[in-house]
Short mmCIF file of all heavy atoms in Angstrom, two decimals:
data_model
loop_
_atom_site.label_atom_id
_atom_site.label_comp_id
_atom_site.label_asym_id
_atom_site.label_seq_id
_atom_site.Cartn_x
_atom_site.Cartn_y
_atom_site.Cartn_z
N TYR A 364 7.55 4.19 50.96
CA TYR A 364 6.95 3.25 51.90
C TYR A 364 7.77 3.02 53.16
O TYR A 364 7.53 2.07 53.90
CB TYR A 364 6.69 1.91 51.20
CG TYR A 364 5.74 2.06 50.04
CD1 TYR A 364 6.18 1.85 48.73
CD2 TYR A 364 4.42 2.46 50.23
CE1 TYR A 364 5.32 2.01 47.66
CE2 TYR A 364 3.56 2.61 49.16
CZ TYR A 364 4.01 2.40 47.88
OH TYR A 364 3.16 2.56 46.81
N LEU A 367 5.47 2.99 56.15
CA LEU A 367 4.62 1.80 56.20
C LEU A 367 5.40 0.60 56.71
O LEU A 367 4.91 -0.16 57.56
CB LEU A 367 4.05 1.52 54.81
CG LEU A 367 3.04 0.38 54.72
CD1 LEU A 367 1.75 0.74 55.47
CD2 LEU A 367 2.73 0.06 53.26
N ARG A 399 -5.62 -5.44 58.21
CA ARG A 399 -5.78 -4.94 56.85
C ARG A 399 -5.13 -3.56 56.77
O ARG A 399 -5.08 -2.81 57.75
CB ARG A 399 -7.25 -4.87 56.44
CG ARG A 399 -7.96 -6.22 56.57
CD ARG A 399 -9.39 -6.16 56.05
NE ARG A 399 -9.44 -6.21 54.60
CZ ARG A 399 -9.48 -7.34 53.90
NH1 ARG A 399 -9.46 -8.51 54.51
NH2 ARG A 399 -9.54 -7.30 52.56
N ILE A 400 -4.63 -3.22 55.57
CA ILE A 400 -3.91 -1.97 55.33
C ILE A 400 -4.52 -1.28 54.11
O ILE A 400 -4.87 -1.94 53.13
CB ILE A 400 -2.41 -2.25 55.05
CG1 ILE A 400 -1.72 -2.84 56.30
CG2 ILE A 400 -1.68 -0.98 54.61
CD1 ILE A 400 -0.30 -3.30 56.05
N GLN A 401 -4.65 0.04 54.19
CA GLN A 401 -5.06 0.79 53.00
C GLN A 401 -3.88 0.81 52.05
O GLN A 401 -2.86 1.44 52.31
CB GLN A 401 -5.48 2.22 53.40
CG GLN A 401 -6.78 2.29 54.17
CD GLN A 401 -7.98 1.86 53.34
OE1 GLN A 401 -8.10 2.20 52.17
NE2 GLN A 401 -8.88 1.10 53.96
N TRP A 402 -4.03 0.13 50.91
CA TRP A 402 -2.93 -0.03 49.97
C TRP A 402 -3.24 0.71 48.69
O TRP A 402 -4.31 1.28 48.51
CB TRP A 402 -2.70 -1.53 49.75
CG TRP A 402 -1.47 -1.90 48.99
CD1 TRP A 402 -1.37 -2.79 47.96
CD2 TRP A 402 -0.14 -1.43 49.19
NE1 TRP A 402 -0.09 -2.90 47.52
CE2 TRP A 402 0.69 -2.07 48.25
CE3 TRP A 402 0.43 -0.51 50.07
CZ2 TRP A 402 2.07 -1.82 48.16
CZ3 TRP A 402 1.79 -0.27 49.98
CH2 TRP A 402 2.59 -0.92 49.05
N TRP A 403 -2.31 0.75 47.72
CA TRP A 403 -2.42 1.68 46.60
C TRP A 403 -3.65 1.47 45.74
O TRP A 403 -4.12 2.38 45.07
CB TRP A 403 -1.16 1.73 45.76
CG TRP A 403 -0.75 0.47 45.06
CD1 TRP A 403 -1.55 -0.50 44.56
CD2 TRP A 403 0.60 0.08 44.76
NE1 TRP A 403 -0.81 -1.47 43.96
CE2 TRP A 403 0.52 -1.15 44.07
CE3 TRP A 403 1.84 0.64 44.99
CZ2 TRP A 403 1.66 -1.83 43.62
CZ3 TRP A 403 2.95 -0.04 44.54
CH2 TRP A 403 2.86 -1.26 43.87
N TRP A 404 -4.20 0.27 45.69
CA TRP A 404 -5.40 0.07 44.87
C TRP A 404 -6.68 0.30 45.66
O TRP A 404 -7.78 0.17 45.13
CB TRP A 404 -5.41 -1.33 44.25
CG TRP A 404 -5.09 -2.42 45.23
CD1 TRP A 404 -5.85 -2.85 46.27
CD2 TRP A 404 -3.90 -3.20 45.27
NE1 TRP A 404 -5.23 -3.84 46.97
CE2 TRP A 404 -4.02 -4.09 46.36
CE3 TRP A 404 -2.75 -3.25 44.49
CZ2 TRP A 404 -3.02 -5.01 46.69
CZ3 TRP A 404 -1.76 -4.17 44.82
CH2 TRP A 404 -1.90 -5.04 45.91
N ASP A 405 -6.56 0.66 46.94
CA ASP A 405 -7.74 0.92 47.77
C ASP A 405 -8.13 2.39 47.67
O ASP A 405 -8.08 3.14 48.65
CB ASP A 405 -7.46 0.55 49.24
CG ASP A 405 -7.17 -0.93 49.40
OD1 ASP A 405 -7.90 -1.74 48.82
OD2 ASP A 405 -6.20 -1.26 50.09
N SER A 406 -8.53 2.83 46.49
CA SER A 406 -8.85 4.25 46.27
C SER A 406 -10.24 4.60 46.79
O SER A 406 -10.53 5.76 47.07
CB SER A 406 -8.77 4.59 44.78
OG SER A 406 -9.61 3.73 44.03
N SER A 410 -13.44 1.39 51.20
CA SER A 410 -12.73 0.11 51.14
C SER A 410 -12.29 -0.33 52.53
O SER A 410 -11.90 0.49 53.36
CB SER A 410 -11.51 0.23 50.23
OG SER A 410 -10.71 -0.93 50.32
N GLY A 412 -9.77 -2.13 52.92
CA GLY A 412 -8.33 -2.29 52.84
C GLY A 412 -7.90 -3.65 52.30
O GLY A 412 -8.72 -4.49 51.95
N THR A 413 -6.59 -3.82 52.25
CA THR A 413 -5.98 -5.04 51.72
C THR A 413 -5.38 -5.83 52.88
O THR A 413 -4.89 -5.26 53.85
CB THR A 413 -4.87 -4.67 50.72
OG1 THR A 413 -5.46 -3.96 49.63
CG2 THR A 413 -4.14 -5.88 50.21
N LYS A 414 -5.42 -7.15 52.77
CA LYS A 414 -4.82 -7.97 53.81
C LYS A 414 -3.37 -7.55 54.02
O LYS A 414 -2.61 -7.36 53.07
CB LYS A 414 -4.89 -9.44 53.42
CG LYS A 414 -6.32 -10.00 53.50
CD LYS A 414 -6.34 -11.50 53.20
CE LYS A 414 -7.75 -12.04 53.36
NZ LYS A 414 -7.81 -13.50 53.06
N ARG A 417 -0.44 -9.38 52.27
CA ARG A 417 -0.32 -9.10 50.84
C ARG A 417 0.30 -7.73 50.61
O ARG A 417 1.20 -7.57 49.79
CB ARG A 417 -1.70 -9.18 50.18
CG ARG A 417 -1.66 -8.89 48.69
CD ARG A 417 -3.04 -8.87 48.08
NE ARG A 417 -2.96 -8.56 46.65
CZ ARG A 417 -4.01 -8.31 45.88
NH1 ARG A 417 -5.23 -8.34 46.39
NH2 ARG A 417 -3.86 -8.04 44.60
N ALA A 418 -0.18 -6.74 51.36
CA ALA A 418 0.34 -5.38 51.19
C ALA A 418 1.81 -5.30 51.57
O ALA A 418 2.61 -4.63 50.89
CB ALA A 418 -0.47 -4.41 52.03
N MET A 419 2.21 -5.98 52.61
CA MET A 419 3.60 -5.91 53.04
C MET A 419 4.53 -6.64 52.07
O MET A 419 5.64 -6.17 51.78
CB MET A 419 3.75 -6.48 54.45
CG MET A 419 3.12 -5.61 55.53
SD MET A 419 3.62 -3.86 55.42
CE MET A 419 5.36 -4.01 55.75
N MET A 420 4.09 -7.79 51.56
CA MET A 420 4.94 -8.50 50.60
C MET A 420 5.07 -7.70 49.31
O MET A 420 6.14 -7.65 48.71
CB MET A 420 4.38 -9.90 50.34
CG MET A 420 4.44 -10.80 51.56
SD MET A 420 3.78 -12.46 51.32
CE MET A 420 5.26 -13.35 50.83
N GLU A 421 3.99 -7.04 48.92
CA GLU A 421 4.05 -6.18 47.74
C GLU A 421 4.99 -4.99 48.01
O GLU A 421 5.78 -4.60 47.15
CB GLU A 421 2.65 -5.69 47.38
CG GLU A 421 2.59 -4.72 46.21
CD GLU A 421 2.77 -5.39 44.86
OE1 GLU A 421 2.70 -6.62 44.78
OE2 GLU A 421 3.00 -4.66 43.88
N THR A 422 4.91 -4.43 49.20
CA THR A 422 5.80 -3.32 49.57
C THR A 422 7.26 -3.75 49.51
O THR A 422 8.12 -3.03 48.98
CB THR A 422 5.47 -2.82 51.00
OG1 THR A 422 4.12 -2.39 51.05
CG2 THR A 422 6.39 -1.69 51.41
N MET A 423 7.55 -4.92 50.03
CA MET A 423 8.92 -5.42 50.04
C MET A 423 9.40 -5.77 48.63
O MET A 423 10.60 -5.76 48.35
CB MET A 423 9.03 -6.60 50.99
CG MET A 423 8.73 -6.20 52.45
SD MET A 423 8.39 -7.59 53.56
CE MET A 423 10.05 -8.16 53.86
N VAL A 425 8.31 -3.92 45.82
CA VAL A 425 8.55 -2.65 45.12
C VAL A 425 9.74 -1.89 45.70
O VAL A 425 10.26 -0.98 45.06
CB VAL A 425 7.29 -1.74 45.10
CG1 VAL A 425 6.14 -2.43 44.40
CG2 VAL A 425 6.90 -1.31 46.50
#
Side-chain angles (χ1 to χ4, degrees):
Y364 299 114
L367 185 67
R399 304 185 78 88
I400 295 173
Q401 290 294 319
W402 190 226
W403 63 32
W404 47 69
D405 297 315
S406 56
S410 171
T413 297
K414 289 184 177 180
R417 179 184 179 189
M419 291 310 296
M420 293 179 92
E421 177 75 13
T422 301
M423 297 164 78
V425 300

